[in-house]
């Protein structure tokens, strides 16, 4: 019998890393790309945000590294991909909306500077994505979490454009804050200058500057790169 289907190798399941600063369009591109490829989209930032929320609720200082790690070890942080987007569960509770609020955003950037917190996160992020078939976005996915990722994208954009995009997102949600630009700049500064795993493009990342590109153009570029890896 000539069963050719048995000889077909299973399609490779890539690990795709998308890193970059806030407002560059990572989340949108990562989720659209994942949908196109039938992959799972994992937002690593949501894990830092969930821990930050727990620190707020338990009144743990954002500067107390040891207590933050203990808090993480005592927590169940789950990323649940759903058709309508990702859900984040903290100890079984759906915190997806709460972790996008301003106080948690600021706190996430502060808890993420600690090396021991990052080490805990990296272990869990590798467990989540190690099997492949994922698009994971964050700040250190291509440099630290999956340094051997099949495809690494560093998505950047001019700071003024990123601030405008954030403002538009907030306006759409009806919650405009005059300080959005200043907060984004400060978060950027912290993410890029922390001593451990600062936000930088991996040497083998494809850098895409989305300043003058539409979302569809960026997606087409990234999808093309992914398809080449799959061939
Ligand atoms: O992507 P985000 O805005 O949800 O991330 C929230 C914060 O978490 C961000 O300010 C920096 C931190 N973060 C990180 O340090 N490393 C990651 N891989 C993802 C997020």
């Amino acid at each position: 019998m000539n069963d050719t289907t048995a000889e077909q190798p299973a399609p490779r399941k890539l690990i795709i890393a998308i890193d970059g600063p806030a407002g560059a369009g990572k989340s949108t591109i990562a989720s659209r790309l994942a949908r196109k490829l039938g992959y799972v989209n994992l937002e690593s930032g949501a894990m830092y945000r969930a821990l930050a929320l727990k620190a707020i609720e338990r009144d743990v200082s954002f500067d107390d590294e040891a207590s933050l790690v203990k808090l993480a070890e005592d927590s169940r942080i789950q990323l649940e991909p759903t058709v309508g987007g990702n859900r984040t569960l903290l100890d079984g509770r759906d915190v997806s909306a709460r972790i996008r609020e301003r106080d948690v955003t600021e706190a996430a950037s502060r808890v993420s500077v600690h090396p021991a917190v990052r080490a805990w996160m990296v272990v869990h992020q590798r467990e989540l994505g190690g099997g492949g078939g994922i698009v994971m976005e964050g700040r250190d996915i291509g440099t630290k979490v999956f340094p051997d990722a099949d495809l690494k994208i560093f998505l950047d954009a001019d700071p003024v454009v990123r601030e405008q995009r954030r403002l538009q997102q907030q306006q759409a949600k009806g919650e405009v804050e005059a300080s959005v630009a200043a907060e984004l700049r400060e978060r950027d500064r912290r993410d890029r200058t922390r001593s451990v795993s600062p936000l930088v493009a991996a040497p083998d990342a494809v850098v895409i500057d989305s300043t003058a590109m539409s979302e569809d153009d960026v997606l087409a570029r990234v999808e093309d790169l992914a398809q080449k890896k799959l061939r």
Side-chain angles (χ1 to χ4, degrees), residues 44-45 48-49 100 108-109 112 118 138-140 187 191 194:
S44 62
Y48 287 94
R49 286 172 181 269
R100 299 292 152 194
S109 170
S112 69
R118 303 200 66 84
R139 305 290 189 287
D140 62 343
R187 209 147 70 87
D191 290 348
R194 65 181 170 227

Side-chain angles (χ1 to χ4, degrees), residues 15-50:
I15 293 181
I16 301 177
I18 302 187
D19 290 301
K26 297 187 302 292
S27 300
T28 318
I29 295 301
S31 82
R32 288 185 67 186
L33 178 67
R35 232 177 298 143
K36 284 229 166 194
L37 298 174
Y39 283 11
V40 168
N41 166 217
L42 295 166
E43 295 172 277
S44 62
M47 296 177 71
Y48 287 94
R49 286 172 181 269

